[in-house]
Amino acid sequence: MVLKPGHIISQCKESHDFEGFFIVVHEDKLNEILPSLHFVAPYTLHYNSNPIIEMTAEELESQYLIYEMLQKQIRLEGRPFNKLTLGASCELLFYNTLSIYASRSEDRSHHSRREELLANFIDLIETHFKSERAVNFYADKLFVTPKHLSAVLKEISGKTAGEWIDHRVILEAKLMLRSTGMNIQEISLALNFSNQSFFGKYFKHLTGMSPRDYRNKLSEN
């Protein structure tokens, strides 16, 4: 079962032999460890309409092994590199879950034109987000109007085209601040901002903190 913010499960019945485990992840933390939308977005719609799927015994075993590893790492809090190990373990669990869901939705022939529009839009973002942040650019590539593109994406994903673009740029910026030795000026140039000041204002507007504050906060952890 994969539940996202806003999901409501009703008409549940208690079973005397129920057994399970659950993991709760804050969306911001998930974004930190999963910078790529390319693999995730096409299955977001599948999550929404199919939050509960049946798993094979082998799939369940693989999930439980990762879960047990996470539990052990949590108990080792304070050890060097433990936060990085936890992040890698969460990433492993996420992609293993994604793999299970993807295997249930491999046939893309039944996807609607709107779903295909989202998937194609995400593919374009992955290719061009470092150099193109205008909705018009992506709409032209997809042969639709900017208004239509944003309306469709908002309806089926909860984000407009502009929000998706900003989301991807910020994920990459966070990744570069977290995982590279590049200074903020170099990062702003790599992401095609006209100058460091504009990048800083853009980053702060969308995250609530400056790039430097974000990097300093990471070092404190």
Side-chain angles (χ1 to χ4, degrees):
M1 179 188 297
V2 175
L3 299 180
K4 298 174 62 183
H7 254 136
I8 297 175
I9 298 296
S10 60
Q11 298 180 336
C12 294
K13 295 182 180 179
E14 183 179 357
S15 174
H16 71 279
D17 59 351
F18 173 79
E19 182 179 345
F21 63 90
F22 66 90
I23 296 175
V24 179
V25 183
H26 193 282
E27 185 178 8
D28 289 344
K29 178 59 65 176
L30 194 61
N31 288 338
E32 285 183 11
I33 63 175
L34 301 169
S36 177
L37 300 174
H38 179 72
F39 301 111
V40 179
Y43 301 104
T44 297
L45 300 169
H46 189 67
Y47 287 152
N48 290 343
S49 57
N50 300 277
I52 303 173
I53 62 172
E54 291 189 14
M55 297 171 61
T56 66
E58 184 178 13
E59 290 168 341
L60 179 59
E61 181 183 12
S62 69
Q63 292 289 78
Y64 193 68
L65 285 173
I66 301 170
Y67 171 74
E68 285 188 317
M69 182 170 63
L70 270 170
Q71 290 283 75
K72 290 178 180 178
Q73 287 301 136
I74 291 171
R75 290 194 290 270
L76 294 174
E77 184 177 2
R79 277 194 169 189
F81 307 110
N82 193 55
K83 286 186 179 294
L84 293 174
T85 306
L86 278 171
S89 299
C90 288
E91 189 172 352
L92 176 61
L93 178 65
F94 182 89
Y95 281 115
N96 196 51
T97 303
L98 181 63
S99 174
I100 294 170
Y101 267 82
S103 68
R104 305 298 195 276
S105 58
E106 289 179 347
D107 183 5
R108 298 294 300 272
S109 62
H110 294 97
H111 286 202
S112 72
R113 293 179 64 181
R114 293 185 173 193
E115 292 170 344
E116 290 295 338
L117 182 64
L118 171 62
N120 292 335
F121 174 68
I122 295 301
D123 283 341
L124 284 173
I125 287 181
E126 286 297 316
T127 303
H128 301 288
F129 76 92
K130 289 184 180 180
S131 58
E132 301 290 345
R133 287 188 290 276
V135 175
N136 285 0
F137 171 85
Y138 296 95
D140 288 345
K141 290 283 187 182
L142 295 167
F143 304 103
V144 297
T145 67
K147 183 177 180 180
H148 176 75
L149 177 61
S150 285
V152 170
L153 297 183
K154 181 69 173 180
E155 181 181 342
I156 66 175
S157 72
K159 288 187 178 75
T160 64
E163 288 170 340
W164 271 111
I165 296 165
D166 288 340
H167 181 66
R168 183 62 182 94
V169 173
I170 288 299
L171 289 182
E172 189 69 15
K174 286 182 174 180
L175 177 66
M176 297 172 81
L177 287 165
R178 185 174 71 248
S179 307
T180 75
M182 298 170 69
N183 62 39
I184 295 173
Q185 172 69 19
E186 290 170 334
I187 292 173
S188 67
L189 290 174
L191 293 175
N192 203 40
F193 285 87
S194 56
N195 56 62
Q196 181 178 335
S197 176
F198 183 54
F199 169 62
K201 291 176 181 177
Y202 177 88
F203 189 93
K204 187 170 185 177
H205 173 68
L206 293 170
T207 68
M209 65 179 74
S210 70
R212 192 176 306 280
D213 289 341
Y214 177 78
R215 178 170 267 176
N216 290 340
K217 182 180 178 182
L218 292 174
S219 63
E220 292 171 1
N221 296 331

